[in-house]
Amino acid sequence: MAQLEHIEAIEKRLWGAADTLRANSNYASNEYFLPVMGLVFLRHAYSRFLAVKDRIETNLPKRGGKPRPLTKEDFSQQGAIFLQPKARFDTLVALPDSVDRSKAIIEAMDSIEADYENLRGVLPKGEYQELDNDVLGQLLRTLNPDELKKVSGDVFGRIYEYFLTQFADQKAHDGGEFFTPISLVSLIAHVLDPDHGTVLDPACGSGGMFVQSARIVEEQGQRPTERLTFRGLEKNATTIRLAKMNLAVHGLEGDIQKAITYYEDPHELVGKADFVMANPPFNVDEIDADKVKTDPRLPFGLPGVNKKDKVSNGNYVWISYFYSYLNARGRAGFVMSSQASSAGGGEAKVRQKLMETGDVDVMIAIRSNFFYTRTVPCELWFLNRDKPQAHQDKVLMIDARNVYRKVTRKIYDFSPEQQQNLVAIVWLYRGQTDRYLDRVSGYCRRILDEGSACFNGDEDGKAVRPLPDFADALDALNGALRPFLDTLGEGAAHAEVQQELEGALPAFHTDVLSFQQALAEQENAWKEQKATNGELKKAVDRLAPLAESSRNLVKQTDLLYKLAARLIETCEKACEARQSDQWNSRDVTRARKATDEARQRAVEQLKQVRYFWKQAHWLTDRFPDAELCDVEGLVKLVERAEIEANDWSLTPGRYVGVAPEAEEEGFDFEETLREIHVELEDLNAEAVRLAAAIKRNFEELGV
């Protein structure tokens, strides 16, 4: 299993351990989140420090045969923070219980702030004095598992974001509104494609827009610190601390000012920003109309004023501000309430004026339950002050409400591939056919790679062979059962299930061999593969049987394990196996567990083959000519005249129509089962939390 796929399990385990400590203490989430985020920050800073330290030391100039001392400038050039010995995580973890850990952590934070002016007054310090010494010790150890000492890449950056996500879900700070779901931020960043200049977020929260913008530049093989300048506005002082920590933990810096954006503009960037990205608060009705009516950031005027002299709804104040910040070639991408795209009255007049500029570029509708603190649907707006002439009177409408992945019972997001497919539609709109074809080609290559990994894979640096390993584990399980089975007569209770198992095994081995041979044939065919659309379409069709074979092998793998498990249960219950000297319960249990683990690895790997084929087919089926076209229920390039005829509505669903109902044979049982499993997991976790809370309440009552 690839490292970044494995990290999800690590994230959940770290969060579970940290949250358990909170649950077993007297601290509320809002008292706990900032010190925890501070320790995650320290741990990640240490990871980056270690990652570059050896490389820096190798290249240090020498005087008299001795290298000069390390400096913070050495680390800044590598996108890392220099840490004095007292601030290194291993030092803190190794502290004995007799040492005041809160004092040591505060000194560590002080040493970092002394070296980095942009972090002065930002890092949590006094908060640690509120935590027990033992709790701090457990937290430090929790965030320092051995497996994370071996990984590479921005793993702790991901963990930092994961912890932000979880605390947002708990509404631990500012009602959770400091955090925009990563899948939405990433989609905005990939559609905008920021590659230079000033990136402004006038409602920056915890800084996610900046982090994702930096990743776009990194994906292009360049350094974000050399290409982008980040400017932000945020009203909440604690949230600003989170944002600056979030930037620093990713090796970034930004100028984030404390301001109420409705009335203040400390950066003075009107007409100067290259990119504007934001997730502003929706439907605010408390903006003082007198204070903003002459603001130069309102080129289309006020959207409407109520009887209290307040702006009726702040959505179009934000939209106007975003537009006004852009320079002549600037682009904006932001989250907005779904009410805004079809609102009437003064808002409709502002929307008409905005449309008449020709700068509204793309609209993407997002279904409900993407946010952690509100269930409402939303839309992503994209403005472009430098649209090509061919697009001046058109808007790309994408209705992505049927594109989602269920994360928990309450939360949805996009899988990375779902996001990439939506971005691929925008590439076709922009005439970037090569990028679209690269995406299809990449999926095809991934199908073959995932198929090969069924036989020769890698997990945590160790070679694994999911399908052969499952076959071997099944043989070992049969070997553990054989001494007892040989003592039974032909008419014993186990006979029917044993016969079914033995009958299914040859077919499985034959199908595994056929799958491997088909894979080899496709690998050979791919060596001659041409990257034209027509040839890639043929490749997707050619790979369909391989994807179907992987699906069938999943069913066979699950069936074989179920039959083996049923055989064991029958032997124990109906044949009194536990009473026999030929039945070694320990060996059978161990072999059964090993077989189940091997089954899970084989099934997950096989599913990847079909999954990536489905992604390639999703694109080639909807855009067979590698050109943008209308797809019912998904996308349409809409003329201004049609928008005007619909009261200047920018709601994608009004134009793209309704997606045709999927045929019965297209019903995705695997996805449905996955959603049921997610819901069950979530309900079980919630039951555990409630039970712990009830127990704690009873204890406090002395019951």
Side-chain angles (χ1 to χ4, degrees):
M1 186 185 295
Q3 175 183 301
L4 286 182
E5 293 168 354
H6 187 50
I7 192 63
E8 292 181 5
I10 298 175
E11 290 169 341
K12 290 179 181 177
R13 194 173 71 255
L14 290 182
W15 169 258
D19 195 43
T20 297
L21 285 176
R22 180 201 58 78
N24 292 326
S25 69
N26 295 320
Y27 306 111
S29 295
N30 60 346
E31 298 170 317
Y32 199 65
F33 89 100
L34 198 55
V36 169
M37 294 309 302
L39 292 183
V40 176
F41 165 83
L42 273 181
R43 181 61 182 82
H44 181 60
Y46 186 54
S47 294
R48 294 182 76 97
F49 173 86
L50 292 178
V52 301
K53 179 173 175 285
D54 290 343
R55 183 165 65 246
I56 292 172
E57 288 178 333
T58 300
N59 297 317
L60 280 177
K62 296 181 179 180
R63 294 175 184 172
K66 294 183 178 181
R68 68 161 173 76
L70 294 167
T71 67
K72 68 175 186 177
E73 286 74 20
D74 296 325
F75 287 83
S76 297
Q77 291 172 4
Q78 301 292 331
I81 294 175
F82 172 70
L83 298 174
Q84 297 180 23
K86 69 173 74 173
R88 297 172 191 175
F89 210 79
D90 280 355
T91 302
L92 297 171
V93 171
L95 293 174
D97 290 339
S98 58
V99 172
D100 185 342
R101 291 190 177 95
S102 65
K103 181 180 178 182
I105 293 171
I106 291 169
E107 289 177 354
M109 297 295 192
D110 280 335
S111 71
I112 294 174
E113 289 190 355
D115 283 330
Y116 294 91
E117 185 176 351
N118 63 307
L119 289 176
R120 287 176 191 169
V122 170
L123 303 180
K125 286 177 284 196
E127 292 87 350
Y128 294 104
Q129 294 173 337
E130 306 299 320
L131 296 179
D132 295 337
N133 208 44
D134 288 344
V135 169
L136 280 175
Q138 291 181 66
L139 264 178
L140 287 165
R141 290 188 291 273
T142 293
L143 296 173
N144 198 44
D146 288 338
E147 61 209 300
L148 283 181
K149 299 174 184 177
K150 306 170 187 175
V151 298
S152 58
D154 191 26
V155 169
F156 247 97
R158 282 192 48 165
I159 290 172
Y160 188 92
E161 292 172 358
Y162 182 78
F163 270 59
L164 280 176
T165 300
Q166 298 304 310
F167 279 123
D169 194 21
Q170 291 190 352
K171 303 181 183 178
H173 161 63
D174 205 21
E177 293 181 359
F178 62 89
F179 184 77
T180 307
I182 292 170
S183 64
L184 292 186
V185 182
S186 182
L187 179 55
I188 290 173
H190 278 87
V191 171
L192 274 190
D193 208 15
D195 59 356
H196 71 281
T198 298
V199 178
L200 170 67
D201 185 344
C204 72
S206 55
M209 298 287 181
F210 300 139
V211 172
Q212 293 300 327
S213 296
R215 286 190 174 146
I216 298 297
V217 174
E218 288 174 344
E219 287 171 8
Q220 298 167 351
Q222 300 184 65
R223 290 185 179 179
T225 52
E226 296 175 356
R227 302 289 300 171
L228 301 176
T229 301
F230 300 121
R231 299 284 183 266
L233 300 175
E234 172 56 47
K235 67 177 182 178
N236 187 293
T238 301
T239 305
I240 291 175
R241 294 171 70 186
L242 277 177
K244 289 186 175 182
M245 287 164 61
N246 196 10
L247 286 173
V249 89
H250 289 92
L252 306 169
E253 289 187 24
D255 183 359
I256 300 174
Q257 298 289 323
K258 187 177 186 299
I260 298 176
T261 307
Y262 301 124
Y263 312 121
E264 301 170 272
D265 185 25
H267 290 305
E268 298 182 345
L269 283 176
V270 172
K272 299 176 183 177
D274 296 282
F275 299 93
V276 173
M277 306 170 69
N279 172 27
F282 298 168
N283 304 318
V284 175
D285 59 2
E286 292 298 321
I287 303 173
D288 191 321
D290 282 338
K291 287 185 178 181
V292 300
K293 64 184 179 182
T294 60
D295 197 304
R297 296 174 294 173
L298 293 174
F300 311 117
L302 284 173
V305 180
N306 61 27
K307 295 178 181 179
K308 298 179 181 179
D309 290 326
K310 306 289 186 182
V311 176
S312 305
N313 190 306
N315 291 338
Y316 278 88
V317 170
W318 284 110
I319 293 170
S320 297
Y321 283 5
F322 300 152
Y323 180 82
S324 69
Y325 279 124
L326 297 176
N327 62 29
R329 302 189 66 182
R331 299 199 295 270
F334 50 90
V335 189
M336 185 49 62
S337 165
S338 57
Q339 298 176 22
S341 58
S342 291
E347 293 174 88
K349 293 177 181 177
V350 172
R351 188 169 63 250
Q352 175 182 345
K353 292 177 183 177
L354 177 63
M355 263 302 302
E356 288 172 343
T357 66
D359 296 334
V360 179
D361 196 23
V362 181
M363 297 289 298
I364 303 179
I366 308 294
R367 63 156 296 143
S368 57
N369 292 87
F370 262 68
F371 287 90
Y372 297 91
T373 57
R374 50 184 184 263
T375 60
V376 296
C378 68
E379 282 156 357
L380 307 184
W381 292 51
F382 296 90
L383 311 177
N384 185 355
R385 296 290 300 273
D386 192 32
K387 281 172 69 174
Q389 190 61 38
H391 292 164
Q392 277 296 309
D393 290 323
K394 300 173 184 176
V395 177
L396 181 67
M397 299 283 185
I398 299 176
D399 190 343
R401 289 177 296 174
N402 291 320
V403 180
Y404 63 90
R405 174 179 66 175
K406 197 167 187 177
V407 180
T408 72
R409 185 164 50 95
K410 302 174 183 176
I411 300 297
Y412 297 168
D413 73 355
F414 296 127
S415 72
E417 291 72 32
Q418 287 172 333
Q419 175 198 289
Q420 290 166 6
N421 290 344
L422 293 173
V423 174
I425 298 174
V426 179
W427 289 342
L428 291 177
Y429 163 64
R430 292 175 178 163
Q432 297 172 322
T433 310
D434 288 348
R435 298 181 80 175
Y436 167 86
L437 294 177
D438 283 346
R439 176 71 66 222
V440 175
S441 177
Y443 285 148
C444 291
R445 181 63 260 175
R446 189 71 184 271
I447 295 165
L448 298 174
D449 290 344
E450 297 295 346
S452 296
C454 290
F455 301 94
N456 295 289
D458 177 271
E459 185 174 327
D460 296 332
K462 298 178 181 178
V464 292
R465 304 158 57 245
L467 274 175
D469 286 348
F470 172 69
D472 291 346
L474 201 57
D475 287 343
L477 178 57
N478 281 329
L481 300 178
R482 181 55 55 190
F484 175 74
L485 294 177
D486 288 344
T487 68
L488 300 175
E490 292 184 4
H494 78 294
E496 185 178 343
V497 66
Q498 183 181 4
Q499 185 177 0
E500 192 176 352
L501 175 59
E502 290 176 349
L505 275 169
F508 172 72
H509 289 302
T510 298
D511 289 348
V512 168
L513 183 59
S514 296
F515 179 71
Q516 192 170 20
Q517 290 171 343
L519 182 64
E521 291 172 4
Q522 293 300 331
E523 285 279 10
N524 287 330
W526 188 256
K527 293 174 183 177
E528 307 297 325
Q529 182 65 45
K530 295 180 180 177
T532 63
N533 180 58
E535 292 302 315
L536 284 172
K537 269 197 69 187
K538 290 178 183 177
V540 174
D541 294 339
R542 191 177 68 234
L543 289 164
L546 192 70
E548 193 60 28
S549 294
S550 70
R551 185 182 196 182
N552 292 336
L553 283 171
V554 166
K555 295 176 182 177
Q556 289 175 274
T557 301
D558 283 336
L559 175 63
L560 286 169
Y561 177 73
K562 287 177 184 176
L563 290 172
R566 196 187 312 161
L567 179 59
I568 293 170
E569 291 168 7
T570 302
C571 288
E572 290 182 338
K573 293 179 180 178
C575 302
E576 299 181 341
R578 294 181 184 275
Q579 310 304 318
S580 171
D581 292 338
Q582 299 302 315
W583 184 269
N584 188 319
S585 293
R586 179 180 295 179
D587 288 350
V588 170
T589 300
R590 187 182 296 121
R592 177 177 178 172
K593 182 180 179 182
T595 303
D596 190 27
E597 291 173 350
R599 176 196 64 82
Q600 292 178 45
R601 285 193 294 270
V603 165
E604 288 306 309
Q605 189 58 56
L606 284 164
K607 283 182 177 179
Q608 293 299 300
V609 178
R610 185 165 180 269
Y611 174 77
F612 283 100
W613 179 83
K614 286 170 66 178
Q615 304 312 311
H617 183 258
W618 193 93
L619 288 174
T620 58
D621 183 56
R622 287 159 178 77
F623 307 101
D625 299 321
E627 295 177 354
L628 182 68
C629 60
D630 294 348
V631 178
E632 194 75 14
L634 177 65
V635 61
K636 183 177 180 179
L637 188 57
V638 183
E639 302 276 355
R640 183 194 295 191
E642 185 177 355
I643 294 173
E644 181 178 1
N646 282 277
D647 300 320
W648 301 99
S649 171
L650 291 173
T651 302
R654 178 171 287 193
Y655 302 99
V656 305
V658 179
E661 288 189 26
E663 297 179 13
E664 189 63 29
E665 61 265 24
F667 181 75
D668 196 331
F669 288 99
E670 290 177 17
E671 183 61 27
T672 302
L673 286 172
R674 179 187 180 278
E675 291 186 3
I676 291 171
H677 178 70
V678 164
E679 186 160 349
L680 180 62
E681 227 179 23
D682 197 38
L683 288 169
N684 287 337
E686 190 171 330
V688 170
R689 287 196 299 270
L690 288 172
I694 291 169
K695 180 184 178 185
R696 200 161 55 246
N697 290 338
F698 275 134
E699 288 173 350
E700 290 173 0
L701 291 170
V703 177

